[in-house]
Amino acid sequence: ASVFQSHEEDDRKVRRREKNRVAAQRSRKKQTQKADKLHEEYESLEQENTSLKREIGKLTDEMKHLSEVLKDHEKICPLLHCTMNFVTVPRPDALASCLPR
């Protein structure tokens, strides 16, 4: 009976070892897939970040340009130089002269 029992225990050990090996393979594969997914997400976020930085640069340049245009316009704007305009509603012809054509 002990030879039969020993053989049965060996079979159980072999099956357990095989089951453990398969589970370990599955776990490593899952970790690799997770790492790959994180890497893809990282790459995508890096690209988005680069794109947003470019957009910030363009918008900053546009803001600087528009600020200069406004500063230049304020020097010659009749609405800003007439003190009466702060009290009364500006005349449409005075306003039209300030608007871009």
Side-chain angles (χ1 to χ4, degrees), residues 52-91:
L52 289 170
K53 283 179 179 176
R54 259 198 306 267
E55 189 177 350
I56 287 170
K58 286 179 188 173
L59 291 171
T60 301
D61 289 346
E62 184 180 358
M63 184 180 73
K64 285 177 187 171
H65 170 72
L66 291 173
S67 292
E68 288 298 315
V69 169
L70 180 61
K71 202 175 356 174
D72 289 345
H73 174 77
E74 285 173 345
K75 294 173 190 171
I76 59 165
C77 181
L79 294 177
L80 293 175
H81 295 294
C82 179
T83 55
M84 289 300 291
N85 286 328
F86 291 113
V87 180
T88 62
V89 176
R91 296 186 329 272

Side-chain angles (χ1 to χ4, degrees), residues 3 10 18 21 23 29 39 42 45 53 56 62-64 68-69 74 79 83 87 90 93 97-98 101:
V3 173
D10 287 347
E18 177 63 18
R21 188 182 66 77
K29 186 177 179 183
H39 185 71
Y42 168 81
L45 289 170
K53 283 179 179 176
I56 287 170
E62 184 180 358
M63 184 180 73
K64 285 177 187 171
E68 288 298 315
V69 169
E74 285 173 345
L79 294 177
T83 55
V87 180
D93 58 328
S97 69
C98 286
R101 287 175 182 82

Side-chain angles (χ1 to χ4, degrees), residues 37-49:
K37 188 177 177 184
L38 283 172
H39 185 71
E40 285 176 24
E41 193 178 338
Y42 168 81
E43 292 290 329
S44 174
L45 289 170
E46 279 291 315
Q47 287 178 353
E48 185 181 358
N49 193 23

